[in-house]
Amino acid sequence: MTRIADIASFLEGFAPPHLAADWDNVGLLLGDAAGKVERVMTCLTITGESAAEALADRAQLIVAHHPLPFRPLRRITTDSVEGRLLWELARGGVAIYSPHTAFDSAARGINQQLGELLELDELAPLAVGGDGLGTGRQGRPRAPATLGQLADRLKQKLQVSGVHLRGAPATPVTRVGIACGSAGDLLGAVQAAGCDCFVTGELRFHDLLALEAAGQTSVLLGHYASERCGVEALASELQRAFPALQVWASRKERDPLLWY
């Protein structure tokens, strides 16, 4: 019998909680660690759609990249979206585990995966931690590449119809910084590493102006597209580690933004 604690232990080894940002909320966030689990769903974010899918498909555990709850709650009632989701999942016996920024930075985490999709050599953290791991990734393209070529590679690998570019597509790229999600706080690390391109999910307008002033380029994938690949990979990792379980990445969740 597999318990929720067994999966939590595996995830803590795969994405060690000490790699998480200080402000984050990672680990087992809802449920009984001693509870039996046979069906696990991964997702990027717990929404009404993904929660309904987990309940309908009888999952006992959701491994959600984005934590629910994220901030401390004074009450859990159905008057708020967070409260309603937590109440419905608790009533349905569905636990929640979130690896979030620990998974971003892990040895086989999302930023590492994006670096490998881009075929970068010399992959290393943007900001190194004490154990040799750290936040983000940086590396050199294996073959000469332009901003447009990197963008096309990401579009194909991530199966997205569009990305935003900061810079001309023909601009040569010699070193790439990577940070999934929303990563404006890593601009300094990107510049300190000598990266002339920053691949991330989203940036604020003034962050883009700062990149432009420094002569740096950027590929903005969208928050969803920059992290959904990790959710799918994590489902595969869990299935390999626990072959007796049924594990799947949510089939219902979608990017809230569409290219038009």
Side-chain angles (χ1 to χ4, degrees), residues 53 72 117 220:
E53 177 184 0
L117 287 179
L220 302 185

Short mmCIF file of all heavy atoms in Angstrom, two decimals, residues 53 72 117 220:
data_model
loop_
_atom_site.label_atom_id
_atom_site.label_comp_id
_atom_site.label_asym_id
_atom_site.label_seq_id
_atom_site.Cartn_x
_atom_site.Cartn_y
_atom_site.Cartn_z
N GLU A 53 -11.86 17.76 -12.03
CA GLU A 53 -11.27 16.60 -12.70
C GLU A 53 -10.72 15.61 -11.67
O GLU A 53 -10.95 14.40 -11.79
CB GLU A 53 -10.15 17.06 -13.64
CG GLU A 53 -9.42 15.92 -14.33
CD GLU A 53 -8.26 16.41 -15.18
OE1 GLU A 53 -8.02 17.63 -15.22
OE2 GLU A 53 -7.58 15.56 -15.78
N PRO A 72 -1.33 32.49 4.33
CA PRO A 72 -2.12 32.02 5.48
C PRO A 72 -3.59 32.45 5.34
O PRO A 72 -3.88 33.56 4.89
CB PRO A 72 -1.45 32.72 6.66
CG PRO A 72 -0.06 33.00 6.22
CD PRO A 72 -0.15 33.29 4.75
N LEU A 117 15.82 21.57 -23.27
CA LEU A 117 15.02 21.76 -24.48
C LEU A 117 15.71 22.74 -25.44
O LEU A 117 15.63 22.58 -26.66
CB LEU A 117 13.63 22.29 -24.12
CG LEU A 117 12.64 21.33 -23.47
CD1 LEU A 117 11.33 22.05 -23.16
CD2 LEU A 117 12.37 20.14 -24.37
N LEU A 220 9.68 35.67 -23.91
CA LEU A 220 8.63 35.52 -22.90
C LEU A 220 7.66 34.44 -23.37
O LEU A 220 6.93 34.64 -24.35
CB LEU A 220 7.91 36.84 -22.66
CG LEU A 220 8.77 38.03 -22.22
CD1 LEU A 220 7.89 39.23 -21.90
CD2 LEU A 220 9.64 37.67 -21.03
#
